């Protein structure tokens, strides 16, 4: 019986840049990391690789004849997936629009970005809330900031019921300590 480690798929999810010290690219990546609150530049490289693979597949499909069943079937599947994730608008229903996708289109669909626009004070605060399991998407606690939220689940992003930040949630450490010291009800105070 082979070991489980031998059966794993070892494909890389990110690719380093060919020129590591190119000033324009370094400045652009640093700006993106700061704007979207990413942890490392590897997160940018991972999304760039994903974008490259999607564009490459779209170019290959555009080379085929319009009546080719592979182009019709796979093209619709690619467009449907991008529509469901909200990366491509519903009105843009052709493969040509896939080639015009940018890195920011993908970064706008991350859970961290969406939480920073609604529940958090900043992108860094949003990352902390997600990582500390205070955020749920459709009754499922998600602790991955890079989680790509589908269009139909955006309205279900909320604080977890188990979170101390939720109005009906349990008391947090500070509130419990104040209640213990006062001996009364400190839950109504603004902390």
């Amino acid at each position: 019986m082979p070991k489980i480690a031998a059966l794993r798929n070892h494909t890389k999810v990110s690719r380093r840049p060919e020129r590591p010290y190119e000033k324009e690219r370094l400045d652009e990546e640093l700006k993106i990391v700061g704007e979207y609150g990413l942890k490392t530049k590897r997160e940018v490289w991972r999304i760039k690789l994903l974008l490259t693979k999607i564009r490459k597949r779209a170019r290959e499909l555009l080379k085929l004849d319009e009546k080719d069943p592979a182009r019709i079937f796979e093209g619709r599947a690619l467009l449907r997936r991008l529509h469901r994730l909200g990366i491509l608008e519903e009105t843009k229903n052709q493969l040509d629009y896939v080639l015009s996708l940018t890195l920011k289109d993908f970064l706008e669909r991350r859970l961290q970005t969406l939480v920073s626009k609604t529940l958090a004070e900043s992108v860094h605060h949003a990352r902390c809330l997600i990582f500390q399991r205070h955020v749920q998407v459709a009754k499922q606690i998600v602790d991955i900031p890079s989680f790509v939220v589908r269009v139909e689940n955006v309205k279900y992003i909320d604080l977890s019921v188990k979170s101390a930040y939720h109005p009906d949630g349990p008391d947090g450490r500070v509130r419990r300590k104040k209640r213990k010291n006062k001996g009364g009800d400190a839950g109504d105070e603004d902390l």
Side-chain angles (χ1 to χ4, degrees), residues 77-92:
L78 179 64
L79 289 171
R80 184 172 51 245
R81 189 174 78 192
L82 293 174
H83 289 315
R84 283 182 71 189
L85 293 176
I87 295 168
L88 198 62
E89 297 174 14
E90 289 287 335
T91 57
K92 298 180 178 179

Side-chain angles (χ1 to χ4, degrees), residues 45-46 75 86 99 110 112 116 156 164-165:
W45 300 342
R46 187 180 69 217
L99 299 177
R110 297 174 82 235
Q112 180 180 355
S116 71
Y156 299 117
Y165 292 115

Side-chain angles (χ1 to χ4, degrees), residues 9 68 74 90 187:
N9 189 5
D68 190 353
E74 292 182 26
E90 289 287 335

Side-chain angles (χ1 to χ4, degrees), residues 87-141:
I87 295 168
L88 198 62
E89 297 174 14
E90 289 287 335
T91 57
K92 298 180 178 179
N93 220 2
Q94 293 178 346
L95 285 173
D96 296 328
Y97 292 113
V98 176
L99 299 177
S100 65
L101 288 175
T102 62
L103 181 68
K104 294 192 177 196
D105 293 331
F106 282 87
L107 290 171
E108 288 293 328
R109 299 304 306 167
R110 297 174 82 235
L111 179 62
Q112 180 180 355
T113 308
L114 296 172
V115 167
S116 71
K117 292 178 181 177
T118 56
L119 301 174
E121 297 171 8
S122 67
V123 286
H124 306 292
H125 184 226
R127 189 175 187 94
C128 291
L129 286 177
I130 295 166
F131 195 70
Q132 294 169 3
R133 302 173 57 91
H134 291 293
V135 177
Q136 69 181 11
V137 178
K139 297 185 180 179
Q140 179 70 41
I141 294 176

